[in-house]
Amino acid sequence: MIDIKKTFSIKGMHCASCVLVIEKSLRGVEGVSGANVNLVTEKATVTYDPDKATDEKLISAVANAGYRAFVEEEVQSEDKERVEKQKELKGLRIRVVVSLGLGLLVLWGGFPALMDTAPAILKNFWFQLILATPVQFWAGWVFYRAAIPALKHRTANMDTLVVIGTSVAYGYSAFVTAFPQIVQRIGIEPMPYFDVATIIIALILLGRYFEAKAKAGTSEAIKKLIGLQAKTARVVRENKEIDIPIIEVVIGDFVRVRPGEKIPVDGIITEGDSSIDESMVTGESMPVDKKSGDTVVGATINKSGSFIFKATKVGQETMLAQIIRLVQEAQGSKAPIQRLADLVSSYFVPVVIMLAITTFVAWYDFGPEPTLLYAILNTVAVLIIACPCAMGLATPTAIMVGTGKGAEHGILIKDAESLEIAHKVGTIIFDKTGTLTKGEPSVTDIVAFNNEKEDNILRYTASLEKFSEHPVAKAIVTFAASLGKTSSHPLDRAIRERAETEKAELFTVNKFKANSGKGLEGEIIINGNSRKFYFGNRALMKDVPVNIGANEVEIQKLEGEGKTVMILASDFELLGIIAVADTVKENARQGVEELKKIGIESVMITGDNLKTAMAIANKVGITRVLAEVLPDEKEAEVKKIQAEGKIVAMVGDGINDAPALVQADVGIAMGTGTDVAIEAADITLINKDLRSVAATIRLSKKTMKTIKLNLFWAFGYNIVLIPVAMGVLYPSFGLLLNPIFASVAMALSSISVVSNSLLLKRYKW
Amino acid sequence: MLDKCGMNEIIVTILGVLGIIFVYWFFLLKKEVKIEASDSIDITVNGGYIPDVISVSKDKTIKLNFIRKDSSSCLEEVVLSDFKIRKYLPLNEKVVVEITPKQTGEFNFTCGMNMFHGKIVVTP
């Protein structure tokens, strides 16, 4: 029998003895093999046989002990956020409706241009007070509730400004209503301004409502990713297929996936084949055919066949979980451009309060009659117009939408800083093998010289290569570093494969040695005689030395075709050559062209000689080539280009060229397999599409443009409108800002910034 | 217009200046109260972060337990940008943020709109 494990919430516990009571009660249920209750998390984890114990039985066991169990699926934190948001929006909506309704009535009865048409009761100050009070202290309570605890901790935010502004307007109006004769005595017409207080509250609440709605849209991408996760998996245990929650799938489980189903976790197909749609995770648009031995990614959709795969990564290790984590991290990081906004916003509210006091004093001392009234209204306008929120929202909202948009298309950006730097990139260096080319070279030509047979050339070279794959213990110890690099080289693999298909009989090799970046050497035993062979590039031949002489023409001809030519020599004599060619990726040329269109220079870096490199470069449309660069020299080449004053991005596989990726201002790795978080890279292209390099730069440019526009609005708005609210235009133009219009402008400023960020979503690739 | 400068104006001006000084002192000259934390610390989110300056040791993992008691949407998210963390804080619920500072120095944490600030001081 197969037991399953379930975790659920328990309410009503308050001491350690509750834990014991509940555990005892749960263990008493038939089919329960284990129960563990945690007082701190208020959760119980029960292991049970689902055929015997049911949810109802578990709930009633907990109820019998005197507590309540919530056995339904645990609500994810994202859902919790959504539920809370919905509640908040609903509450806001009611407050907006009530405050707008009451506010408009007050406005009708109190606003000079409208009051003539209003019924007499609306013009009654006491009636206005009755209408305005719930708006001020019930609808507006959200502002007080935020401002009061903040004041207790000597901090201030936007709510503080709204509270001070509306309280001043409301307090003055209430005073006028209660003591009109006192106001009259100091020469002011006893006129309340309840309309100002109520309408400001209504409009700011309305603005907040729209802002909250819009803000929810900025984190949509991450919610979508989380939503991709499968809920259950059909695993094969003890020859039976059972559906279990995804959380219970363990590494090594065999999972059955039927047509149209979602693949629950990452793994390797062991039986069957199918076509799989991976677009939701990798952004790759075409379905991929997979067969036994191929890897599958969790959350992708099985299109046609039914298959079984072995789970290799579960929980937080799956590709989807890694992607989610990476995007979450990027959204939590800060773009350098935000620094100024951070600095300003930390002083903003206190400075605005000081400016408001200055406004009051200036209008009271120097303003026209009635000075007190002008002083109050302009002070309220200053407090209300100031909007620190727009500055705080300008950068993060754009970063959230930008990184989310990238993730949707298989572009994973590590942090906001990388996204910011990417828009300044002037030069992009592409690694050749595995980046511009498929990294799957095959042998194209075997040429024998000096009466040597072609077959033998293949046998000798393959013997050396074969040896590099199965090195004896001593060789591993001695040459581990260089050996590893050589034997894993795609060129070596190509030769081995060719030898295997031709079924070439191989020789024994002694004294094998791999020279990093040059080639191999070793003694081959032929008919009992030992003969030393060298196999590699020109640099190795020069070391031996071997004179290439007249055969140079043949070598150059093959190199001119973009093939990598390796030379076999023995006893200082040239025996032959083997040419290997790699295929250029389908979209490599298009990728380079797209970069050219946005004014970015592409450079190719490779260990190949210049001639071979140039031939490949021509195929993809690159004119600047850095050839014959040894693996450990790539980093220095990046530095050289940076020294030219350019911002450099490096595109590689993230494994062999990690130091170069780190050295570059932006390291871009082409994702491989199911590992997405390539440590050395700032940006990982899990869609493996070279056109995404240009798309990344365009996304960065677009995001930065949005951020700059947001900051321009947020700063410009405050810089221009605060002085206007203070009354700087009054002496010359007689212009003053009505506090009601100030609240409209304030509400619009935050909404405009968030909406502008959301426009990034519409950006077409 | 200084000719009309009467007693009221002088009083309002003096009160204004005092008000500005008070605001400056109240908000900007706030004394920091540093709390040392070893393994874990509860941070109440209510009109700011209490405590708001937390001293921790380098290379040591610490759990910051945020508990939001303030229903204002301003404080619904906490951002520790140096640690690449942005977390939603459900009301009245403990949200554990685990960090292992690798560098000494001061690292700010803020609300989602960057209006409320706290600081993590990492000492050697």
PDB file of all heavy atoms in Angstrom, chain A residues 80 84-85 145 150 153-154 211 331-332 342 345 365-367, chain B residues 1 4 13 25-26 30 50 71 76 81 86 88 91 93 113-114:
ATOM      1  N   LYS A  80      -2.671  34.193  -1.760  1.00  0.00           N
ATOM      2  CA  LYS A  80      -2.973  34.982  -0.574  1.00  0.00           C
ATOM      3  C   LYS A  80      -2.878  36.465  -0.923  1.00  0.00           C
ATOM      4  O   LYS A  80      -3.701  37.271  -0.549  1.00  0.00           O
ATOM      5  CB  LYS A  80      -1.944  34.633   0.499  1.00  0.00           C
ATOM      6  CG  LYS A  80      -2.592  34.304   1.816  1.00  0.00           C
ATOM      7  CD  LYS A  80      -1.549  33.948   2.820  1.00  0.00           C
ATOM      8  CE  LYS A  80      -1.444  32.466   3.048  1.00  0.00           C
ATOM      9  NZ  LYS A  80      -0.307  32.074   3.811  1.00  0.00           N
ATOM     10  N   GLU A  84      -5.868  39.121  -0.715  1.00  0.00           N
ATOM     11  CA  GLU A  84      -5.758  40.356   0.064  1.00  0.00           C
ATOM     12  C   GLU A  84      -5.951  41.583  -0.814  1.00  0.00           C
ATOM     13  O   GLU A  84      -6.572  42.559  -0.423  1.00  0.00           O
ATOM     14  CB  GLU A  84      -4.391  40.419   0.751  1.00  0.00           C
ATOM     15  CG  GLU A  84      -4.499  40.070   2.210  1.00  0.00           C
ATOM     16  CD  GLU A  84      -3.236  40.350   2.987  1.00  0.00           C
ATOM     17  OE1 GLU A  84      -2.590  41.376   2.757  1.00  0.00           O
ATOM     18  OE2 GLU A  84      -2.893  39.516   3.830  1.00  0.00           O
ATOM     19  N   LYS A  85      -5.387  41.503  -2.023  1.00  0.00           N
ATOM     20  CA  LYS A  85      -5.499  42.627  -2.965  1.00  0.00           C
ATOM     21  C   LYS A  85      -6.956  42.865  -3.331  1.00  0.00           C
ATOM     22  O   LYS A  85      -7.417  44.000  -3.409  1.00  0.00           O
ATOM     23  CB  LYS A  85      -4.702  42.333  -4.234  1.00  0.00           C
ATOM     24  CG  LYS A  85      -3.249  42.635  -4.107  1.00  0.00           C
ATOM     25  CD  LYS A  85      -2.975  44.086  -4.438  1.00  0.00           C
ATOM     26  CE  LYS A  85      -1.846  44.580  -3.571  1.00  0.00           C
ATOM     27  NZ  LYS A  85      -1.867  45.928  -3.154  1.00  0.00           N
ATOM     28  N   ARG A 145      -4.689  55.993   9.426  1.00  0.00           N
ATOM     29  CA  ARG A 145      -4.195  54.715   9.909  1.00  0.00           C
ATOM     30  C   ARG A 145      -2.737  54.496   9.500  1.00  0.00           C
ATOM     31  O   ARG A 145      -1.974  53.823  10.180  1.00  0.00           O
ATOM     32  CB  ARG A 145      -5.071  53.609   9.310  1.00  0.00           C
ATOM     33  CG  ARG A 145      -5.020  52.298   9.999  1.00  0.00           C
ATOM     34  CD  ARG A 145      -5.899  51.326   9.286  1.00  0.00           C
ATOM     35  NE  ARG A 145      -5.601  51.303   7.855  1.00  0.00           N
ATOM     36  CZ  ARG A 145      -6.404  50.790   6.930  1.00  0.00           C
ATOM     37  NH1 ARG A 145      -7.548  50.273   7.267  1.00  0.00           N
ATOM     38  NH2 ARG A 145      -6.051  50.797   5.666  1.00  0.00           N
ATOM     39  N   ALA A 150       3.299  55.991  11.585  1.00  0.00           N
ATOM     40  CA  ALA A 150       4.536  56.511  10.980  1.00  0.00           C
ATOM     41  C   ALA A 150       5.053  57.682  11.796  1.00  0.00           C
ATOM     42  O   ALA A 150       6.253  57.764  12.081  1.00  0.00           O
ATOM     43  CB  ALA A 150       4.272  56.930   9.537  1.00  0.00           C
ATOM     44  N   HIS A 153       6.940  56.856  14.765  1.00  0.00           N
ATOM     45  CA  HIS A 153       8.331  56.461  14.533  1.00  0.00           C
ATOM     46  C   HIS A 153       9.119  57.529  13.814  1.00  0.00           C
ATOM     47  O   HIS A 153      10.150  57.267  13.212  1.00  0.00           O
ATOM     48  CB  HIS A 153       8.377  55.136  13.755  1.00  0.00           C
ATOM     49  CG  HIS A 153       7.709  54.038  14.475  1.00  0.00           C
ATOM     50  ND1 HIS A 153       6.485  53.542  14.107  1.00  0.00           N
ATOM     51  CD2 HIS A 153       8.064  53.390  15.610  1.00  0.00           C
ATOM     52  CE1 HIS A 153       6.128  52.615  14.980  1.00  0.00           C
ATOM     53  NE2 HIS A 153       7.056  52.509  15.886  1.00  0.00           N
ATOM     54  N   ARG A 154       8.576  58.722  13.887  1.00  0.00           N
ATOM     55  CA  ARG A 154       9.236  59.900  13.304  1.00  0.00           C
ATOM     56  C   ARG A 154       9.563  59.707  11.827  1.00  0.00           C
ATOM     57  O   ARG A 154      10.628  60.083  11.356  1.00  0.00           O
ATOM     58  CB  ARG A 154      10.473  60.253  14.122  1.00  0.00           C
ATOM     59  CG  ARG A 154      10.068  60.717  15.522  1.00  0.00           C
ATOM     60  CD  ARG A 154      11.243  60.908  16.438  1.00  0.00           C
ATOM     61  NE  ARG A 154      12.083  62.019  16.040  1.00  0.00           N
ATOM     62  CZ  ARG A 154      13.059  62.508  16.807  1.00  0.00           C
ATOM     63  NH1 ARG A 154      13.271  61.985  18.001  1.00  0.00           N
ATOM     64  NH2 ARG A 154      13.808  63.499  16.391  1.00  0.00           N
ATOM     65  N   GLU A 211      -4.395  52.958  -9.136  1.00  0.00           N
ATOM     66  CA  GLU A 211      -2.973  52.630  -9.001  1.00  0.00           C
ATOM     67  C   GLU A 211      -2.802  51.174  -8.547  1.00  0.00           C
ATOM     68  O   GLU A 211      -1.980  50.443  -9.083  1.00  0.00           O
ATOM     69  CB  GLU A 211      -2.343  53.587  -7.992  1.00  0.00           C
ATOM     70  CG  GLU A 211      -0.850  53.395  -7.809  1.00  0.00           C
ATOM     71  CD  GLU A 211      -0.356  54.191  -6.608  1.00  0.00           C
ATOM     72  OE1 GLU A 211      -0.620  55.403  -6.547  1.00  0.00           O
ATOM     73  OE2 GLU A 211       0.291  53.580  -5.740  1.00  0.00           O
ATOM     74  N   GLN A 331      13.619  41.136  -9.930  1.00  0.00           N
ATOM     75  CA  GLN A 331      12.615  42.137  -9.589  1.00  0.00           C
ATOM     76  C   GLN A 331      12.854  42.741  -8.209  1.00  0.00           C
ATOM     77  O   GLN A 331      12.338  43.799  -7.904  1.00  0.00           O
ATOM     78  CB  GLN A 331      11.212  41.518  -9.685  1.00  0.00           C
ATOM     79  CG  GLN A 331      10.919  41.088 -11.122  1.00  0.00           C
ATOM     80  CD  GLN A 331       9.489  40.698 -11.379  1.00  0.00           C
ATOM     81  OE1 GLN A 331       8.766  40.346 -10.468  1.00  0.00           O
ATOM     82  NE2 GLN A 331       9.086  40.750 -12.639  1.00  0.00           N
ATOM     83  N   GLY A 332      13.632  42.052  -7.394  1.00  0.00           N
ATOM     84  CA  GLY A 332      13.958  42.590  -6.080  1.00  0.00           C
ATOM     85  C   GLY A 332      15.211  43.431  -6.090  1.00  0.00           C
ATOM     86  O   GLY A 332      15.550  44.075  -5.107  1.00  0.00           O
ATOM     87  N   ASP A 342      15.965  57.556  -4.965  1.00  0.00           N
ATOM     88  CA  ASP A 342      16.036  57.085  -3.579  1.00  0.00           C
ATOM     89  C   ASP A 342      16.453  58.193  -2.645  1.00  0.00           C
ATOM     90  O   ASP A 342      15.883  58.390  -1.582  1.00  0.00           O
ATOM     91  CB  ASP A 342      17.088  55.962  -3.468  1.00  0.00           C
ATOM     92  CG  ASP A 342      16.524  54.643  -3.921  1.00  0.00           C
ATOM     93  OD1 ASP A 342      15.352  54.626  -4.326  1.00  0.00           O
ATOM     94  OD2 ASP A 342      17.253  53.640  -3.880  1.00  0.00           O
ATOM     95  N   SER A 345      13.692  60.854  -2.383  1.00  0.00           N
ATOM     96  CA  SER A 345      12.485  60.466  -1.649  1.00  0.00           C
ATOM     97  C   SER A 345      12.733  60.310  -0.153  1.00  0.00           C
ATOM     98  O   SER A 345      11.806  60.411   0.635  1.00  0.00           O
ATOM     99  CB  SER A 345      11.835  59.226  -2.246  1.00  0.00           C
ATOM    100  OG  SER A 345      12.711  58.158  -2.190  1.00  0.00           O
ATOM    101  N   ASP A 365       1.857  86.653   5.791  1.00  0.00           N
ATOM    102  CA  ASP A 365       2.579  87.914   6.000  1.00  0.00           C
ATOM    103  C   ASP A 365       2.432  88.865   4.826  1.00  0.00           C
ATOM    104  O   ASP A 365       2.296  90.066   4.997  1.00  0.00           O
ATOM    105  CB  ASP A 365       4.074  87.627   6.218  1.00  0.00           C
ATOM    106  CG  ASP A 365       4.332  87.027   7.598  1.00  0.00           C
ATOM    107  OD1 ASP A 365       3.348  86.875   8.359  1.00  0.00           O
ATOM    108  OD2 ASP A 365       5.496  86.702   7.897  1.00  0.00           O
ATOM    109  N   PHE A 366       2.510  88.310   3.611  1.00  0.00           N
ATOM    110  CA  PHE A 366       2.598  89.195   2.439  1.00  0.00           C
ATOM    111  C   PHE A 366       1.428  89.076   1.479  1.00  0.00           C
ATOM    112  O   PHE A 366       1.354  89.806   0.498  1.00  0.00           O
ATOM    113  CB  PHE A 366       3.893  88.893   1.657  1.00  0.00           C
ATOM    114  CG  PHE A 366       5.118  88.866   2.526  1.00  0.00           C
ATOM    115  CD1 PHE A 366       5.885  87.724   2.656  1.00  0.00           C
ATOM    116  CD2 PHE A 366       5.492  90.007   3.239  1.00  0.00           C
ATOM    117  CE1 PHE A 366       7.010  87.703   3.464  1.00  0.00           C
ATOM    118  CE2 PHE A 366       6.618  89.989   4.056  1.00  0.00           C
ATOM    119  CZ  PHE A 366       7.375  88.833   4.165  1.00  0.00           C
ATOM    120  N   GLY A 367       0.524  88.154   1.687  1.00  0.00           N
ATOM    121  CA  GLY A 367      -0.555  87.907   0.722  1.00  0.00           C
ATOM    122  C   GLY A 367      -1.664  88.931   0.807  1.00  0.00           C
ATOM    123  O   GLY A 367      -1.735  89.738   1.746  1.00  0.00           O
TER     124      GLY A 367
ATOM    125  N   MET B   1       5.243  95.132   1.346  1.00  0.00           N
ATOM    126  CA  MET B   1       4.077  94.881   2.172  1.00  0.00           C
ATOM    127  C   MET B   1       4.447  94.769   3.645  1.00  0.00           C
ATOM    128  O   MET B   1       3.624  94.474   4.477  1.00  0.00           O
ATOM    129  CB  MET B   1       3.401  93.606   1.710  1.00  0.00           C
ATOM    130  CG  MET B   1       2.493  93.812   0.523  1.00  0.00           C
ATOM    131  SD  MET B   1       1.409  92.429   0.357  1.00  0.00           S
ATOM    132  CE  MET B   1       1.929  91.861  -1.242  1.00  0.00           C
ATOM    133  N   LYS B   4       2.600  96.454   6.610  1.00  0.00           N
ATOM    134  CA  LYS B   4       1.441  95.980   7.366  1.00  0.00           C
ATOM    135  C   LYS B   4       1.838  94.971   8.454  1.00  0.00           C
ATOM    136  O   LYS B   4       1.011  94.378   9.107  1.00  0.00           O
ATOM    137  CB  LYS B   4       0.407  95.354   6.412  1.00  0.00           C
ATOM    138  CG  LYS B   4       0.794  93.997   5.884  1.00  0.00           C
ATOM    139  CD  LYS B   4      -0.405  93.316   5.277  1.00  0.00           C
ATOM    140  CE  LYS B   4      -0.103  91.857   5.053  1.00  0.00           C
ATOM    141  NZ  LYS B   4      -1.210  91.137   4.507  1.00  0.00           N
ATOM    142  N   THR B  13       5.297  84.359  11.769  1.00  0.00           N
ATOM    143  CA  THR B  13       6.639  84.119  11.216  1.00  0.00           C
ATOM    144  C   THR B  13       7.486  83.325  12.214  1.00  0.00           C
ATOM    145  O   THR B  13       8.137  82.338  11.837  1.00  0.00           O
ATOM    146  CB  THR B  13       7.336  85.452  10.877  1.00  0.00           C
ATOM    147  OG1 THR B  13       6.446  86.221  10.092  1.00  0.00           O
ATOM    148  CG2 THR B  13       8.634  85.214  10.123  1.00  0.00           C
ATOM    149  N   TRP B  25      14.072  68.717  12.851  1.00  0.00           N
ATOM    150  CA  TRP B  25      14.566  67.923  13.990  1.00  0.00           C
ATOM    151  C   TRP B  25      13.788  66.594  14.100  1.00  0.00           C
ATOM    152  O   TRP B  25      14.363  65.536  14.260  1.00  0.00           O
ATOM    153  CB  TRP B  25      14.423  68.752  15.272  1.00  0.00           C
ATOM    154  CG  TRP B  25      14.612  67.936  16.511  1.00  0.00           C
ATOM    155  CD1 TRP B  25      15.793  67.586  17.087  1.00  0.00           C
ATOM    156  CD2 TRP B  25      13.582  67.349  17.325  1.00  0.00           C
ATOM    157  NE1 TRP B  25      15.577  66.818  18.201  1.00  0.00           N
ATOM    158  CE2 TRP B  25      14.224  66.654  18.376  1.00  0.00           C
ATOM    159  CE3 TRP B  25      12.187  67.339  17.271  1.00  0.00           C
ATOM    160  CZ2 TRP B  25      13.522  65.964  19.359  1.00  0.00           C
ATOM    161  CZ3 TRP B  25      11.486  66.657  18.253  1.00  0.00           C
ATOM    162  CH2 TRP B  25      12.141  65.969  19.284  1.00  0.00           C
ATOM    163  N   PHE B  26      12.469  66.706  13.959  1.00  0.00           N
ATOM    164  CA  PHE B  26      11.603  65.549  14.191  1.00  0.00           C
ATOM    165  C   PHE B  26      11.863  64.429  13.180  1.00  0.00           C
ATOM    166  O   PHE B  26      11.996  63.264  13.538  1.00  0.00           O
ATOM    167  CB  PHE B  26      10.138  65.991  14.119  1.00  0.00           C
ATOM    168  CG  PHE B  26       9.167  64.922  14.532  1.00  0.00           C
ATOM    169  CD1 PHE B  26       8.950  64.634  15.872  1.00  0.00           C
ATOM    170  CD2 PHE B  26       8.457  64.187  13.578  1.00  0.00           C
ATOM    171  CE1 PHE B  26       8.047  63.654  16.252  1.00  0.00           C
ATOM    172  CE2 PHE B  26       7.554  63.209  13.963  1.00  0.00           C
ATOM    173  CZ  PHE B  26       7.357  62.940  15.309  1.00  0.00           C
ATOM    174  N   LYS B  30      16.486  62.191  13.533  1.00  0.00           N
ATOM    175  CA  LYS B  30      16.064  61.075  14.377  1.00  0.00           C
ATOM    176  C   LYS B  30      17.276  60.226  14.753  1.00  0.00           C
ATOM    177  O   LYS B  30      18.110  59.926  13.898  1.00  0.00           O
ATOM    178  CB  LYS B  30      15.076  60.216  13.576  1.00  0.00           C
ATOM    179  CG  LYS B  30      14.372  59.204  14.391  1.00  0.00           C
ATOM    180  CD  LYS B  30      13.303  58.519  13.586  1.00  0.00           C
ATOM    181  CE  LYS B  30      13.860  57.771  12.407  1.00  0.00           C
ATOM    182  NZ  LYS B  30      12.913  56.819  11.837  1.00  0.00           N
ATOM    183  N   ILE B  50      10.175  48.254  12.936  1.00  0.00           N
ATOM    184  CA  ILE B  50      10.610  48.300  14.328  1.00  0.00           C
ATOM    185  C   ILE B  50      11.227  46.959  14.678  1.00  0.00           C
ATOM    186  O   ILE B  50      10.506  45.954  14.671  1.00  0.00           O
ATOM    187  CB  ILE B  50       9.417  48.561  15.269  1.00  0.00           C
ATOM    188  CG1 ILE B  50       8.603  49.734  14.692  1.00  0.00           C
ATOM    189  CG2 ILE B  50       9.903  48.856  16.678  1.00  0.00           C
ATOM    190  CD1 ILE B  50       7.130  49.556  14.872  1.00  0.00           C
ATOM    191  N   SER B  71      -2.049  48.120   7.841  1.00  0.00           N
ATOM    192  CA  SER B  71      -2.797  47.714   6.655  1.00  0.00           C
ATOM    193  C   SER B  71      -2.567  48.652   5.472  1.00  0.00           C
ATOM    194  O   SER B  71      -3.071  48.403   4.382  1.00  0.00           O
ATOM    195  CB  SER B  71      -4.282  47.642   6.994  1.00  0.00           C
ATOM    196  OG  SER B  71      -4.688  48.889   7.500  1.00  0.00           O
ATOM    197  N   GLU B  76       3.126  47.122   2.065  1.00  0.00           N
ATOM    198  CA  GLU B  76       2.790  45.734   1.768  1.00  0.00           C
ATOM    199  C   GLU B  76       3.956  44.933   1.175  1.00  0.00           C
ATOM    200  O   GLU B  76       3.922  43.713   1.164  1.00  0.00           O
ATOM    201  CB  GLU B  76       1.585  45.656   0.829  1.00  0.00           C
ATOM    202  CG  GLU B  76       1.897  46.165  -0.556  1.00  0.00           C
ATOM    203  CD  GLU B  76       0.678  46.261  -1.442  1.00  0.00           C
ATOM    204  OE1 GLU B  76      -0.434  46.224  -0.927  1.00  0.00           O
ATOM    205  OE2 GLU B  76       0.878  46.372  -2.656  1.00  0.00           O
ATOM    206  N   SER B  81      17.098  45.352  -1.742  1.00  0.00           N
ATOM    207  CA  SER B  81      17.624  45.291  -3.109  1.00  0.00           C
ATOM    208  C   SER B  81      19.058  44.757  -3.164  1.00  0.00           C
ATOM    209  O   SER B  81      19.426  44.127  -4.135  1.00  0.00           O
ATOM    210  CB  SER B  81      17.524  46.646  -3.789  1.00  0.00           C
ATOM    211  OG  SER B  81      18.197  47.593  -3.036  1.00  0.00           O
ATOM    212  N   ARG B  86      12.464  40.955  -2.967  1.00  0.00           N
ATOM    213  CA  ARG B  86      11.244  41.772  -2.912  1.00  0.00           C
ATOM    214  C   ARG B  86      10.144  40.819  -2.459  1.00  0.00           C
ATOM    215  O   ARG B  86       9.855  39.848  -3.133  1.00  0.00           O
ATOM    216  CB  ARG B  86      10.943  42.334  -4.304  1.00  0.00           C
ATOM    217  CG  ARG B  86       9.624  43.094  -4.402  1.00  0.00           C
ATOM    218  CD  ARG B  86       9.366  43.540  -5.829  1.00  0.00           C
ATOM    219  NE  ARG B  86      10.223  44.641  -6.213  1.00  0.00           N
ATOM    220  CZ  ARG B  86       9.909  45.927  -6.053  1.00  0.00           C
ATOM    221  NH1 ARG B  86       8.766  46.261  -5.533  1.00  0.00           N
ATOM    222  NH2 ARG B  86      10.739  46.868  -6.431  1.00  0.00           N
ATOM    223  N   TYR B  88       6.233  40.126  -0.697  1.00  0.00           N
ATOM    224  CA  TYR B  88       4.928  40.617  -0.306  1.00  0.00           C
ATOM    225  C   TYR B  88       4.711  40.213   1.152  1.00  0.00           C
ATOM    226  O   TYR B  88       5.032  39.093   1.537  1.00  0.00           O
ATOM    227  CB  TYR B  88       3.856  39.994  -1.200  1.00  0.00           C
ATOM    228  CG  TYR B  88       2.476  40.461  -0.858  1.00  0.00           C
ATOM    229  CD1 TYR B  88       2.047  41.715  -1.279  1.00  0.00           C
ATOM    230  CD2 TYR B  88       1.620  39.684  -0.098  1.00  0.00           C
ATOM    231  CE1 TYR B  88       0.786  42.168  -0.947  1.00  0.00           C
ATOM    232  CE2 TYR B  88       0.362  40.132   0.231  1.00  0.00           C
ATOM    233  CZ  TYR B  88      -0.053  41.381  -0.195  1.00  0.00           C
ATOM    234  OH  TYR B  88      -1.292  41.836   0.144  1.00  0.00           O
ATOM    235  N   LEU B  91      -0.875  40.644   5.641  1.00  0.00           N
ATOM    236  CA  LEU B  91      -1.175  41.300   6.907  1.00  0.00           C
ATOM    237  C   LEU B  91      -1.165  40.291   8.060  1.00  0.00           C
ATOM    238  O   LEU B  91      -1.692  39.184   7.931  1.00  0.00           O
ATOM    239  CB  LEU B  91      -2.553  41.970   6.794  1.00  0.00           C
ATOM    240  CG  LEU B  91      -2.866  43.062   7.800  1.00  0.00           C
ATOM    241  CD1 LEU B  91      -1.841  44.178   7.740  1.00  0.00           C
ATOM    242  CD2 LEU B  91      -4.266  43.616   7.548  1.00  0.00           C
ATOM    243  N   GLU B  93       0.992  38.359   9.282  1.00  0.00           N
ATOM    244  CA  GLU B  93       1.591  37.046   9.054  1.00  0.00           C
ATOM    245  C   GLU B  93       3.105  37.177   9.056  1.00  0.00           C
ATOM    246  O   GLU B  93       3.645  38.161   8.582  1.00  0.00           O
ATOM    247  CB  GLU B  93       1.131  36.517   7.710  1.00  0.00           C
ATOM    248  CG  GLU B  93       0.883  35.040   7.756  1.00  0.00           C
ATOM    249  CD  GLU B  93       0.170  34.597   6.516  1.00  0.00           C
ATOM    250  OE1 GLU B  93      -1.070  34.745   6.451  1.00  0.00           O
ATOM    251  OE2 GLU B  93       0.864  34.135   5.620  1.00  0.00           O
ATOM    252  N   MET B 113       7.509  51.316  -2.257  1.00  0.00           N
ATOM    253  CA  MET B 113       7.547  52.630  -2.892  1.00  0.00           C
ATOM    254  C   MET B 113       8.702  53.472  -2.374  1.00  0.00           C
ATOM    255  O   MET B 113       8.771  54.674  -2.632  1.00  0.00           O
ATOM    256  CB  MET B 113       6.240  53.353  -2.648  1.00  0.00           C
ATOM    257  CG  MET B 113       5.083  52.733  -3.373  1.00  0.00           C
ATOM    258  SD  MET B 113       3.659  53.752  -3.140  1.00  0.00           S
ATOM    259  CE  MET B 113       2.378  52.614  -3.561  1.00  0.00           C
ATOM    260  N   ASN B 114       9.556  52.846  -1.578  1.00  0.00           N
ATOM    261  CA  ASN B 114      10.746  53.522  -1.080  1.00  0.00           C
ATOM    262  C   ASN B 114      10.435  54.708  -0.176  1.00  0.00           C
ATOM    263  O   ASN B 114      11.124  55.723  -0.213  1.00  0.00           O
ATOM    264  CB  ASN B 114      11.595  53.959  -2.285  1.00  0.00           C
ATOM    265  CG  ASN B 114      12.995  54.338  -1.881  1.00  0.00           C
ATOM    266  OD1 ASN B 114      13.483  53.874  -0.862  1.00  0.00           O
ATOM    267  ND2 ASN B 114      13.620  55.190  -2.649  1.00  0.00           N
TER     268      ASN B 114
END
